[in-house]
Amino acid sequence: MTSIVILISGRGSNMQAIVRAAAAEQWPAHIAAVISNRHDAQGLEFAREHGIPVAVVSNKDYSTRDAFDAALQEEIERFSPDLVVLAGFLRILTGAFVAHYAGRMLNIHPSLLPAFPGLATHRQALVAGVKNHGATVHFVTADLDHGPIVAQAVVPVLSGDTEETLALRVLEQEHVIYPAAVRSFVEGKLALHNNKVWFGA
Ligand code: NHR
Ligand code: GAR
């Protein structure tokens, strides 16, 4: 059984998609905890309702990123996870934290990386005038939004799109590719070898 800890900051719809897929498809996995850096994250409610242990480590309680990441790591380690899943988690993580979870931490980013790293990706896409946009699942490395790419989904940018309509089209695809990637990891079909993505049979 692969033990998974999911980190969120808000709505948690990707977390929900993963929790639902794990149950519906009977993955050999256990969602050990959902941890948020914000007390008011909506996703915490869903986790509680589903009997998943929740915890909050508020970045506001720590004066440095190192102190916050140390506290976050301590909380995560209570659940001894094999995999840490960032699902709309909004704090940049320090090199020491990322190194501890090397090869066992995934993120979904709402753009076709390496285009539009950082925040406000849908606005960035509309400003750039790209015809296609999407989402990327990647292993997390110290280099923000530049870790080895696991999966991508492409959606068209349509005339009349706003950040909201575009975000929704991308989010629907996130809910497809993120659970699929996590499933591959728990089935031992996805790993990071020498900083390259390995897919097994
Ligand atoms: N940490 C590392 N080291 N590497 C990555 O690839 C990471 C990461 C932490 C989070 C998610 C990422 C995204 O998918 C992610 C990838 C937050 C910010 C950010 O600027 C940027 C990228 C991502 C997440 N955060 C601000 C900060 O100062 C705070 C913003 C806020 O609190 O609202 O940490 O987009
Ligand atoms: C998702 O679109 C995710 O890709 C994005 O935020 C949304 C979270 O939604 N992540 C980031 O922008 C990370 N910086 P959710 O909380 O409903 O999963």
Side-chain angles (χ1 to χ4, degrees):
M1 283 291 252
T2 302
S3 176
I4 302 174
V5 166
I6 305 179
L7 304 186
I8 65 169
S9 295
R11 180 177 53 190
S13 71
N14 277 291
M15 175 270 293
Q16 293 184 30
I18 290 164
V19 168
R20 289 186 204 281
E25 299 167 10
Q26 299 182 303
W27 298 356
H30 168 67
I31 312 298
V34 170
I35 302 176
S36 171
N37 67 307
R38 298 181 55 124
H39 292 281
D40 61 357
Q42 278 171 262
L44 291 171
E45 197 55 40
F46 172 92
R48 284 194 198 96
E49 284 167 12
H50 286 73
I52 300 167
V54 303
V56 176
V57 181
S58 174
N59 53 281
K60 290 184 183 160
D61 293 341
Y62 301 89
S63 55
T64 65
R65 286 186 189 268
D66 282 336
F68 169 65
D69 280 11
L72 181 62
Q73 184 174 326
E74 192 176 315
E75 190 61 35
I76 294 170
E77 286 307 304
R78 290 177 49 221
F79 302 96
S80 308
D82 304 296
L83 176 67
V84 173
V85 171
L86 306 186
F89 183 71
L90 287 179
R91 299 301 302 178
I92 296 171
L93 298 160
T94 57
F97 182 99
V98 171
H100 184 80
Y101 296 106
R104 51 195 186 104
M105 181 157 58
L106 292 170
N107 177 47
I108 189 152
H109 179 80
S111 79
L112 292 172
L113 290 171
F116 315 134
L119 301 174
T121 57
H122 308 303
R123 189 181 322 156
Q124 292 189 56
L126 290 173
V127 168
V130 292
K131 299 301 173 195
N132 291 291
H133 184 44
T136 302
V137 177
H138 65 94
F139 280 100
V140 176
T141 61
D143 196 2
L144 184 69
D145 294 331
H146 281 75
I149 292 174
V150 172
Q152 293 185 307
V154 180
V155 304
V157 179
L158 303 177
S159 65
D161 261 341
T162 62
E163 283 181 56
E164 290 71 29
T165 59
L166 186 53
L168 193 62
R169 196 174 306 123
V170 171
L171 190 65
E172 280 177 22
Q173 295 308 311
E174 294 184 37
H175 296 166
V176 176
I177 65 171
Y178 210 8
V182 174
R183 179 179 177 162
S184 294
F185 188 96
V186 306
E187 290 180 338
K189 296 172 180 172
L190 165 65
L192 196 60
H193 289 157
N194 301 320
N195 226 36
K196 288 215 160 34
V197 173
W198 170 89
F199 277 103

